[in-house]
Amino acid sequence: VFENILLTVAILSGINGVLAVILVVAEKFFADYGECRVRINKEKEFTVKGGASLLATLNSQKIFLPSACGGRGTCAYCKCRVLEGGGPVLPTEESLLTEEEIGEQFRLACQLKVKKDISLAIPVELLEIQEFKAEVVLLEDLTYDIKRVRLKLIEPDRIQFIPGQYIQLRNAPYPGMSESVSRAYSIASSSFSDSVVDLMVRLIPEGIVTTWVHQYLKVGDPVTFTGPMGDFCLHQSEGSMIMVAGGSGMAPMVSMLHKIRHEKIDREIIYLFGAVTEKDLFFMKEMREFVREIPGFSFIPALSAPAEPEEWKGETGLITLPLEKTLARLKDTGQAQGYLCGSPGMIKACIQVFKQHGVTGERIFYDPFA
Ligand SMILES: Cc1cc2nc3c(=O)[nH]c(=O)nc-3n(C[C@H](O)[C@H](O)[C@H](O)COP(=O)(O)OP(=O)(O)OC[C@H]3O[C@@H](n4cnc5c(N)ncnc54)[C@H](O)[C@@H]3O)c2cc1C
Ligand code: FES
Protein backbone atom coordinates (compact mmCIF):
# COMPACT_ATOMS: atom_id res chain seq x y z
CA VAL A 1 0.00 0.00 0.00
CA PHE A 2 2.79 2.36 1.01
CA GLU A 3 4.59 1.70 -2.30
CA ASN A 4 1.36 2.45 -4.23
CA ILE A 5 0.94 5.76 -2.40
CA LEU A 6 4.55 6.69 -3.20
CA LEU A 7 4.05 5.75 -6.85
CA THR A 8 0.82 7.81 -7.09
CA VAL A 9 2.52 10.84 -5.47
CA ALA A 10 5.47 10.50 -7.88
CA ILE A 11 3.15 10.24 -10.94
CA LEU A 12 1.07 13.27 -9.80
CA SER A 13 4.23 15.32 -9.15
CA GLY A 14 5.52 14.36 -12.59
CA ILE A 15 2.24 15.41 -14.26
CA ASN A 16 2.30 18.70 -12.30
CA GLY A 17 5.88 19.34 -13.43
CA VAL A 18 5.05 18.65 -17.08
CA LEU A 19 1.95 20.91 -16.90
CA ALA A 20 4.01 23.71 -15.33
CA VAL A 21 6.61 23.46 -18.13
CA ILE A 22 3.84 23.45 -20.80
CA LEU A 23 2.28 26.55 -19.17
CA VAL A 24 5.62 28.40 -19.09
CA VAL A 25 6.38 27.49 -22.73
CA ALA A 26 2.82 28.35 -23.84
CA GLU A 27 3.01 31.69 -22.01
CA LYS A 28 6.37 32.48 -23.62
CA PHE A 29 5.45 31.61 -27.18
CA PHE A 30 1.69 31.93 -27.51
CA ALA A 31 0.42 34.44 -24.90
CA ASP A 32 -0.26 37.78 -26.50
CA TYR A 33 -1.13 40.59 -24.15
CA GLY A 34 -1.10 43.16 -26.93
CA GLU A 35 -0.22 46.78 -26.29
CA CYS A 36 -0.33 47.90 -22.66
CA ARG A 37 -0.28 51.47 -21.37
CA VAL A 38 2.05 52.15 -18.41
CA ARG A 39 1.26 55.27 -16.39
CA ILE A 40 3.72 56.63 -13.80
CA ASN A 41 2.75 59.08 -11.04
CA LYS A 42 -0.33 59.98 -13.09
CA GLU A 43 1.80 62.11 -15.44
CA LYS A 44 4.30 60.09 -17.51
CA GLU A 45 2.78 57.54 -19.88
CA PHE A 46 4.09 55.12 -22.51
CA THR A 47 2.88 52.07 -24.42
CA VAL A 48 4.71 48.73 -24.48
CA LYS A 49 4.14 45.23 -25.77
CA GLY A 50 2.77 43.27 -22.78
CA GLY A 51 4.25 40.07 -21.39
CA ALA A 52 7.58 41.18 -19.85
CA SER A 53 8.20 41.74 -16.14
CA LEU A 54 7.45 45.22 -14.87
CA LEU A 55 11.17 45.62 -14.05
CA ALA A 56 12.25 44.76 -17.62
CA THR A 57 9.42 46.88 -19.06
CA LEU A 58 10.60 49.91 -17.07
CA ASN A 59 14.25 49.22 -18.00
CA SER A 60 13.26 49.23 -21.68
CA GLN A 61 12.08 52.83 -21.13
CA LYS A 62 15.31 53.74 -19.25
CA ILE A 63 13.57 53.71 -15.88
CA PHE A 64 15.77 51.78 -13.48
CA LEU A 65 14.40 50.59 -10.15
CA PRO A 66 16.98 49.25 -7.66
CA SER A 67 17.22 45.48 -8.22
CA ALA A 68 20.27 44.26 -6.30
CA CYS A 69 19.51 40.55 -6.87
CA GLY A 70 19.09 41.11 -10.59
CA GLY A 71 15.44 40.08 -10.67
CA ARG A 72 15.73 36.75 -8.82
CA GLY A 73 13.04 37.73 -6.33
CA THR A 74 15.30 37.66 -3.28
CA CYS A 75 16.28 41.25 -2.44
CA ALA A 76 12.92 43.11 -2.48
CA TYR A 77 14.75 46.26 -3.64
CA CYS A 78 12.47 46.50 -6.71
CA LYS A 79 9.36 47.17 -4.59
CA CYS A 80 7.04 49.74 -6.09
CA ARG A 81 3.38 50.70 -5.74
CA VAL A 82 1.07 49.37 -8.43
CA LEU A 83 -2.15 51.35 -8.18
CA GLU A 84 -4.06 49.62 -11.00
CA GLY A 85 -3.63 46.67 -13.31
CA GLY A 86 -1.24 44.57 -11.20
CA GLY A 87 -3.55 41.57 -10.66
CA PRO A 88 -3.28 39.43 -7.51
CA VAL A 89 -0.06 39.26 -5.43
CA LEU A 90 1.98 36.25 -6.57
CA PRO A 91 3.31 33.51 -4.24
CA THR A 92 6.87 34.59 -5.22
CA GLU A 93 6.16 38.07 -3.84
CA GLU A 94 4.41 37.13 -0.60
CA SER A 95 7.47 36.27 1.50
CA LEU A 96 9.18 39.58 0.68
CA LEU A 97 6.23 41.91 1.29
CA THR A 98 4.72 42.69 4.69
CA GLU A 99 0.94 42.72 5.10
CA GLU A 100 1.15 46.49 5.47
CA GLU A 101 3.04 46.80 2.17
CA ILE A 102 0.53 44.58 0.40
CA GLY A 103 -2.23 46.83 1.82
CA GLU A 104 -0.38 49.84 0.39
CA GLN A 105 -0.30 48.13 -3.05
CA PHE A 106 3.45 47.44 -3.06
CA ARG A 107 4.58 44.78 -5.54
CA LEU A 108 7.90 43.29 -6.66
CA ALA A 109 8.55 44.71 -10.13
CA CYS A 110 10.75 41.74 -11.10
CA GLN A 111 7.97 39.21 -10.43
CA LEU A 112 4.90 41.02 -11.76
CA LYS A 113 4.24 40.78 -15.50
CA VAL A 114 2.68 43.61 -17.47
CA LYS A 115 -0.44 42.01 -18.96
CA LYS A 116 -2.78 45.01 -19.21
CA ASP A 117 -2.81 48.78 -18.68
CA ILE A 118 -1.01 49.53 -15.44
CA SER A 119 -0.70 52.57 -13.19
CA LEU A 120 2.34 53.02 -10.89
CA ALA A 121 3.53 55.34 -8.12
CA ILE A 122 7.34 55.62 -8.15
CA PRO A 123 9.24 58.02 -5.83
CA VAL A 124 10.75 60.82 -7.96
CA GLU A 125 14.30 60.16 -6.72
CA LEU A 126 14.13 56.68 -8.27
CA LEU A 127 13.18 58.22 -11.60
CA GLU A 128 16.54 60.02 -11.51
CA ILE A 129 18.56 56.78 -11.63
CA GLN A 130 20.54 56.78 -14.88
CA GLU A 131 22.36 54.32 -17.08
CA PHE A 132 26.09 55.05 -17.45
CA LYS A 133 28.61 53.93 -20.04
CA ALA A 134 32.13 53.81 -18.62
CA GLU A 135 35.60 52.41 -19.22
CA VAL A 136 37.74 50.38 -16.83
CA VAL A 137 40.85 52.46 -16.08
CA LEU A 138 42.25 50.57 -13.07
CA LEU A 139 42.09 47.01 -11.76
CA GLU A 140 44.04 46.36 -8.60
CA ASP A 141 44.25 43.35 -6.28
CA LEU A 142 43.52 44.65 -2.78
CA THR A 143 43.67 41.11 -1.35
CA TYR A 144 43.63 37.60 -2.85
CA ASP A 145 39.84 37.91 -3.30
CA ILE A 146 39.05 41.64 -3.43
CA LYS A 147 39.72 43.82 -6.46
CA ARG A 148 39.56 47.56 -6.75
CA VAL A 149 37.86 48.55 -10.02
CA ARG A 150 38.01 52.15 -11.24
CA LEU A 151 35.49 53.18 -13.89
CA LYS A 152 35.92 56.38 -15.87
CA LEU A 153 32.55 57.73 -16.90
CA ILE A 154 31.90 58.33 -20.58
CA GLU A 155 28.16 58.93 -21.09
CA PRO A 156 27.02 60.73 -18.95
CA ASP A 157 30.52 61.83 -17.94
CA ARG A 158 29.62 62.95 -14.40
CA ILE A 159 27.77 61.28 -11.51
CA GLN A 160 26.21 62.87 -8.46
CA PHE A 161 25.85 60.53 -5.53
CA ILE A 162 25.64 60.52 -1.77
CA PRO A 163 28.54 58.68 -0.06
CA GLY A 164 27.17 55.28 1.01
CA GLN A 165 25.14 54.76 -2.18
CA TYR A 166 25.74 51.95 -4.68
CA ILE A 167 25.56 51.30 -8.40
CA GLN A 168 24.43 48.20 -10.28
CA LEU A 169 27.13 46.79 -12.56
CA ARG A 170 26.15 44.63 -15.55
CA ASN A 171 28.49 41.86 -16.72
CA ALA A 172 29.27 41.16 -20.36
CA PRO A 173 28.85 37.52 -21.44
CA TYR A 174 32.06 35.47 -21.00
CA PRO A 175 33.16 31.89 -21.72
CA GLY A 176 30.65 29.60 -20.00
CA MET A 177 28.26 32.45 -19.19
CA SER A 178 25.85 33.75 -21.79
CA GLU A 179 23.72 35.59 -19.22
CA SER A 180 24.13 39.30 -18.54
CA VAL A 181 22.90 40.34 -15.08
CA SER A 182 23.24 43.31 -12.71
CA ARG A 183 24.64 43.27 -9.18
CA ALA A 184 24.97 46.00 -6.57
CA TYR A 185 28.39 47.46 -5.63
CA SER A 186 28.88 50.31 -3.17
CA ILE A 187 30.81 53.30 -4.43
CA ALA A 188 34.20 53.50 -2.70
CA SER A 189 35.37 56.80 -4.20
CA SER A 190 34.88 60.40 -3.18
CA SER A 191 31.66 62.14 -4.27
CA PHE A 192 33.89 65.15 -5.06
CA SER A 193 35.62 63.20 -7.88
CA ASP A 194 32.53 62.92 -10.02
CA SER A 195 34.09 61.61 -13.26
CA VAL A 196 35.21 58.25 -11.82
CA VAL A 197 33.68 55.56 -9.65
CA ASP A 198 35.76 53.14 -7.56
CA LEU A 199 34.37 49.77 -6.49
CA MET A 200 35.72 47.02 -4.22
CA VAL A 201 34.55 43.66 -5.55
CA ARG A 202 34.99 40.46 -3.56
CA LEU A 203 35.11 37.23 -5.55
CA ILE A 204 32.21 34.87 -4.81
CA PRO A 205 33.10 31.38 -6.09
CA GLU A 206 30.93 30.71 -9.17
CA GLY A 207 29.30 34.13 -8.82
CA ILE A 208 28.27 35.50 -12.22
CA VAL A 209 29.42 39.10 -11.93
CA THR A 210 32.37 38.66 -9.58
CA THR A 211 33.87 35.89 -11.77
CA TRP A 212 33.61 38.27 -14.73
CA VAL A 213 35.27 41.09 -12.76
CA HIS A 214 38.05 38.89 -11.37
CA GLN A 215 38.79 36.69 -14.36
CA TYR A 216 37.70 38.47 -17.54
CA LEU A 217 37.51 42.23 -17.05
CA LYS A 218 40.52 44.15 -18.43
CA VAL A 219 41.71 47.75 -18.29
CA GLY A 220 40.22 49.52 -21.32
CA ASP A 221 37.03 47.42 -21.40
CA PRO A 222 33.69 49.23 -21.79
CA VAL A 223 31.12 48.60 -19.04
CA THR A 224 27.59 49.76 -18.26
CA PHE A 225 26.01 50.37 -14.91
CA THR A 226 22.94 52.07 -13.43
CA GLY A 227 22.80 54.30 -10.40
CA PRO A 228 23.20 55.87 -7.98
CA MET A 229 20.89 53.98 -5.62
CA GLY A 230 20.31 53.33 -1.93
CA ASP A 231 19.70 55.29 1.24
CA PHE A 232 22.73 54.20 3.31
CA CYS A 233 24.41 57.55 4.10
CA LEU A 234 25.77 59.81 6.84
CA HIS A 235 23.23 61.20 9.29
CA GLN A 236 23.99 64.46 11.04
CA SER A 237 24.61 64.20 14.78
CA GLU A 238 26.95 65.47 17.48
CA GLY A 239 27.31 61.93 18.82
CA SER A 240 30.01 59.35 18.12
CA MET A 241 29.88 57.40 14.90
CA ILE A 242 30.78 53.71 15.07
CA MET A 243 31.45 52.11 11.69
CA VAL A 244 31.66 48.33 11.43
CA ALA A 245 32.59 46.68 8.13
CA GLY A 246 34.92 43.94 6.97
CA GLY A 247 36.05 42.86 3.50
CA SER A 248 34.44 44.75 0.61
CA GLY A 249 32.03 46.27 3.17
CA MET A 250 34.80 48.87 3.48
CA ALA A 251 33.71 50.46 0.18
CA PRO A 252 30.91 52.80 1.36
CA MET A 253 32.88 53.63 4.53
CA VAL A 254 35.78 54.94 2.41
CA SER A 255 33.40 57.14 0.43
CA MET A 256 31.93 58.49 3.69
CA LEU A 257 35.42 59.13 5.12
CA HIS A 258 36.27 61.22 2.02
CA LYS A 259 33.22 63.38 2.74
CA ILE A 260 34.02 63.62 6.48
CA ARG A 261 37.59 64.75 5.64
CA HIS A 262 36.51 67.18 2.91
CA GLU A 263 33.80 68.79 5.01
CA LYS A 264 35.92 68.73 8.20
CA ILE A 265 33.07 67.01 10.08
CA ASP A 266 34.01 67.20 13.74
CA ARG A 267 32.84 64.20 15.75
CA GLU A 268 34.32 61.04 17.24
CA ILE A 269 34.47 58.36 14.52
CA ILE A 270 35.62 54.81 15.21
CA TYR A 271 35.93 52.33 12.35
CA LEU A 272 36.10 48.65 13.39
CA PHE A 273 37.34 46.54 10.49
CA GLY A 274 36.83 42.78 10.85
CA ALA A 275 39.06 40.30 8.99
CA VAL A 276 40.11 36.67 9.42
CA THR A 277 43.90 36.77 9.00
CA GLU A 278 46.59 39.30 8.07
CA LYS A 279 46.10 38.54 4.36
CA ASP A 280 42.52 39.90 4.55
CA LEU A 281 43.76 43.33 5.63
CA PHE A 282 43.91 46.05 2.97
CA PHE A 283 43.77 49.84 2.56
CA MET A 284 45.92 50.15 5.69
CA LYS A 285 47.97 53.03 4.24
CA GLU A 286 44.82 54.90 3.21
CA MET A 287 43.32 54.35 6.67
CA ARG A 288 46.47 55.74 8.32
CA GLU A 289 46.09 58.84 6.12
CA PHE A 290 42.47 59.27 7.18
CA VAL A 291 43.57 58.90 10.84
CA ARG A 292 46.19 61.66 10.29
CA GLU A 293 43.81 63.98 8.48
CA ILE A 294 40.50 63.53 10.35
CA PRO A 295 41.01 64.72 13.96
CA GLY A 296 38.34 62.55 15.63
CA PHE A 297 38.95 59.38 13.60
CA SER A 298 40.38 56.08 14.79
CA PHE A 299 40.70 52.83 12.85
CA ILE A 300 40.66 49.49 14.69
CA PRO A 301 41.34 46.33 12.64
CA ALA A 302 40.50 43.04 14.37
CA LEU A 303 41.57 39.55 13.25
CA SER A 304 39.47 36.53 14.17
CA ALA A 305 42.29 34.02 13.40
CA PRO A 306 45.69 35.75 13.04
CA ALA A 307 48.19 33.52 11.23
CA GLU A 308 50.98 34.83 13.48
CA PRO A 309 49.30 35.53 16.82
CA GLU A 310 52.55 36.52 18.55
CA GLU A 311 53.27 39.12 15.86
CA TRP A 312 49.74 40.58 15.70
CA LYS A 313 49.47 43.48 18.15
CA GLY A 314 45.89 44.49 17.31
CA GLU A 315 42.47 43.33 18.45
CA THR A 316 41.50 39.68 18.06
CA GLY A 317 38.20 37.83 17.91
CA LEU A 318 35.00 38.28 15.96
CA ILE A 319 34.17 41.92 15.31
CA THR A 320 31.42 41.87 17.96
CA LEU A 321 34.17 41.65 20.63
CA PRO A 322 35.96 44.95 19.85
CA LEU A 323 32.49 46.44 19.27
CA GLU A 324 31.50 45.44 22.84
CA LYS A 325 34.71 46.99 24.20
CA THR A 326 34.26 50.19 22.19
CA LEU A 327 30.66 50.67 23.24
CA ALA A 328 31.44 49.88 26.89
CA ARG A 329 33.95 52.76 27.07
CA LEU A 330 31.86 55.20 25.04
CA LYS A 331 30.39 58.04 27.12
CA ASP A 332 27.65 59.08 24.69
CA THR A 333 25.87 55.84 23.74
CA GLY A 334 22.61 57.80 24.16
CA GLN A 335 23.60 59.82 21.07
CA ALA A 336 25.97 57.46 19.23
CA GLN A 337 25.18 56.10 15.78
CA GLY A 338 26.11 52.74 14.21
CA TYR A 339 26.99 52.28 10.50
CA LEU A 340 27.27 48.68 9.33
CA CYS A 341 28.10 47.06 6.02
CA GLY A 342 28.78 43.45 5.08
CA SER A 343 27.18 40.04 5.46
CA PRO A 344 23.63 39.89 6.89
CA GLY A 345 24.90 37.60 9.69
CA MET A 346 27.57 40.08 10.80
CA ILE A 347 25.09 42.96 10.67
CA LYS A 348 22.50 41.08 12.74
CA ALA A 349 25.08 40.16 15.42
CA CYS A 350 26.37 43.76 15.62
CA ILE A 351 22.88 45.28 15.82
CA GLN A 352 22.25 43.10 18.86
CA VAL A 353 25.43 44.42 20.55
CA PHE A 354 24.54 48.03 19.71
CA LYS A 355 21.07 47.59 21.21
CA GLN A 356 22.48 45.95 24.38
CA HIS A 357 24.51 49.14 24.87
CA GLY A 358 21.58 51.51 24.37
CA VAL A 359 22.18 52.42 20.72
CA THR A 360 18.61 52.06 19.52
CA GLY A 361 17.36 50.96 16.09
CA GLU A 362 16.70 54.43 14.67
CA ARG A 363 20.40 55.29 15.19
CA ILE A 364 21.68 52.15 13.42
CA PHE A 365 22.15 52.33 9.64
CA TYR A 366 23.18 49.42 7.45
CA ASP A 367 23.50 47.90 4.00
CA PRO A 368 23.52 44.09 3.94
CA PHE A 369 25.58 42.74 1.00
CA ALA A 370 23.15 39.97 0.10
C1 LIG B 1 23.35 47.28 -1.48
C2 LIG B 1 24.42 46.27 -1.81
C3 LIG B 1 25.73 46.70 -1.95
C4 LIG B 1 26.73 45.76 -2.26
N1 LIG B 1 28.03 46.19 -2.37
C5 LIG B 1 29.01 45.31 -2.62
C6 LIG B 1 30.39 45.75 -2.70
O1 LIG B 1 30.71 46.94 -2.56
N2 LIG B 1 31.33 44.80 -2.96
C7 LIG B 1 31.01 43.47 -3.12
O2 LIG B 1 31.93 42.67 -3.35
N3 LIG B 1 29.74 43.05 -3.05
C8 LIG B 1 28.74 43.93 -2.82
N4 LIG B 1 27.43 43.49 -2.76
C9 LIG B 1 27.12 42.08 -3.12
C10 LIG B 1 26.96 41.99 -4.66
O3 LIG B 1 25.84 42.75 -5.08
C11 LIG B 1 26.75 40.56 -5.18
O4 LIG B 1 25.71 39.95 -4.47
C12 LIG B 1 27.98 39.69 -5.07
O5 LIG B 1 29.09 40.35 -5.65
C13 LIG B 1 27.77 38.34 -5.76
O6 LIG B 1 27.48 38.55 -7.13
P1 LIG B 1 27.76 37.41 -8.21
O7 LIG B 1 26.98 37.75 -9.43
O8 LIG B 1 29.22 37.21 -8.39
O9 LIG B 1 27.21 36.11 -7.53
P2 LIG B 1 25.78 35.36 -7.83
O10 LIG B 1 25.84 34.77 -9.17
O11 LIG B 1 24.72 36.36 -7.53
O12 LIG B 1 25.78 34.28 -6.71
C14 LIG B 1 26.37 33.00 -6.81
C15 LIG B 1 26.08 32.25 -5.53
O13 LIG B 1 26.75 32.86 -4.43
C16 LIG B 1 25.82 33.24 -3.41
N5 LIG B 1 26.24 34.57 -2.93
C17 LIG B 1 25.94 35.77 -3.48
N6 LIG B 1 26.51 36.78 -2.78
C18 LIG B 1 27.17 36.19 -1.77
C19 LIG B 1 27.95 36.69 -0.70
N7 LIG B 1 28.17 38.02 -0.54
N8 LIG B 1 28.48 35.79 0.16
C20 LIG B 1 28.31 34.47 0.00
N9 LIG B 1 27.56 33.93 -1.00
C21 LIG B 1 27.00 34.76 -1.86
C22 LIG B 1 24.47 33.31 -4.10
O14 LIG B 1 23.42 33.03 -3.18
C23 LIG B 1 24.59 32.25 -5.16
O15 LIG B 1 24.29 30.99 -4.65
C24 LIG B 1 26.41 44.39 -2.44
C25 LIG B 1 25.08 43.98 -2.31
C26 LIG B 1 24.10 44.90 -1.99
C27 LIG B 1 22.69 44.41 -1.83
S1 FES C 1 15.06 42.62 -8.12
FE1 FES C 1 15.48 41.60 -6.28
S2 FES C 1 13.48 41.02 -5.61
FE2 FES C 1 13.11 42.06 -7.45
Side-chain angles (χ1 to χ4, degrees):
V1 176
F2 184 64
E3 278 174 359
N4 280 344
I5 293 175
L6 273 184
L7 190 66
T8 315
V9 170
I11 291 170
L12 285 177
S13 306
I15 293 171
N16 268 345
V18 171
L19 283 176
V21 171
I22 291 172
L23 275 177
V24 171
V25 173
E27 165 113 8
K28 193 167 166 61
F29 292 101
F30 306 114
D32 181 4
Y33 301 106
E35 304 261 282
C36 303
R37 246 181 319 140
V38 181
R39 205 158 178 228
I40 299 173
N41 299 345
K42 299 196 174 133
E43 21 183 74
K44 195 177 162 68
E45 197 173 292
F46 51 87
T47 305
V48 292
K49 190 172 175 327
S53 75
L54 177 58
L55 188 67
T57 302
L58 291 172
N59 282 358
S60 72
Q61 303 297 312
K62 302 282 177 212
I63 296 170
F64 304 102
L65 295 184
S67 50
C69 74
R72 285 182 296 193
T74 55
C75 72
Y77 282 41
C78 63
K79 257 178 234 173
C80 81
R81 288 180 68 217
V82 178
L83 308 178
E84 283 165 34
V89 175
L90 303 167
T92 48
E93 297 174 271
E94 271 166 0
S95 62
L96 288 173
L97 294 171
T98 61
E99 263 176 44
E100 207 180 359
E101 285 170 335
I102 292 176
E104 289 170 9
Q105 299 174 294
F106 276 98
R107 302 293 301 270
L108 295 187
C110 68
Q111 300 300 306
L112 169 72
K113 274 195 177 162
V114 178
K115 296 181 176 176
K116 53 176 152 165
D117 292 352
I118 195 166
S119 172
L120 314 170
I122 300 180
V124 278
E125 62 273 16
L126 296 187
L127 297 176
E128 283 165 16
I129 297 171
Q130 285 178 290
E131 184 174 49
F132 289 83
K133 291 190 189 339
E135 181 189 329
V136 180
V137 289
L138 174 86
L139 279 170
E140 180 193 354
D141 285 323
L142 295 174
T143 67
Y144 61 99
D145 68 349
I146 301 178
K147 263 192 203 296
R148 169 147 65 159
V149 183
R150 176 164 296 159
L151 305 175
K152 175 148 185 37
L153 307 187
I154 296 170
E155 182 60 53
D157 62 357
R158 296 272 183 271
I159 184 167
Q160 276 196 325
F161 67 92
I162 299 167
Q165 284 192 300
Y166 65 91
I167 55 125
Q168 288 189 184
L169 183 65
R170 177 169 284 277
N171 69 293
Y174 55 86
M177 178 53 61
S178 54
E179 226 184 315
S180 192
V181 297
S182 287
R183 298 282 184 263
Y185 296 97
S186 305
I187 303 175
S189 42
S190 163
S191 52
F192 302 99
S193 312
D194 59 0
S195 61
V196 292
V197 158
D198 274 10
L199 309 175
M200 293 176 174
V201 179
R202 183 166 80 91
L203 178 67
I204 301 295
E206 295 178 34
I208 298 176
V209 174
T210 56
T211 301
W212 170 67
V213 167
H214 277 254
Q215 293 177 15
Y216 296 96
L217 202 60
K218 301 270 177 305
V219 169
D221 281 356
V223 297
T224 58
F225 67 84
T226 51
M229 302 172 191
D231 52 12
F232 183 59
C233 63
L234 286 168
H235 294 259
Q236 238 184 351
S237 160
E238 303 274 286
S240 304
M241 177 175 171
I242 316 298
M243 297 170 149
V244 188
S248 55
M250 183 187 268
M253 305 303 180
V254 171
S255 190
M256 287 182 181
L257 287 169
H258 278 294
K259 181 180 164 80
I260 290 166
R261 178 171 63 187
H262 188 91
E263 295 186 348
K264 299 189 172 36
I265 294 173
D266 183 19
R267 56 194 287 201
E268 182 178 27
I269 302 158
I270 302 164
Y271 177 5
L272 303 168
F273 178 80
V276 181
T277 74
E278 293 81 346
K279 69 185 174 59
D280 297 300
L281 295 173
F282 64 97
F283 247 52
M284 293 295 123
K285 190 172 127 283
E286 287 80 354
M287 284 299 143
R288 279 195 296 274
E289 271 170 33
F290 281 128
V291 169
R292 257 201 322 273
E293 291 163 12
I294 302 174
F297 179 55
S298 45
F299 177 68
I300 304 175
L303 297 184
S304 59
E308 308 208 25
E310 52 299 326
E311 298 286 312
W312 174 248
K313 300 283 181 284
E315 295 286 333
T316 50
L318 291 176
I319 201 64
T320 42
L321 227 68
L323 178 60
E324 287 262 5
K325 278 204 224 168
T326 302
L327 291 170
R329 70 175 167 75
L330 215 62
K331 295 199 179 68
D332 69 342
T333 43
Q335 268 195 303
Q337 295 176 330
Y339 292 79
L340 311 161
C341 221
S343 75
M346 181 280 276
I347 290 181
K348 197 167 162 215
C350 289
I351 289 178
Q352 217 174 344
V353 177
F354 271 113
K355 287 187 174 167
Q356 278 160 4
H357 287 267
V359 181
T360 46
E362 75 281 1
R363 283 184 281 122
I364 307 174
F365 312 102
Y366 53 92
D367 234 355
F369 282 10

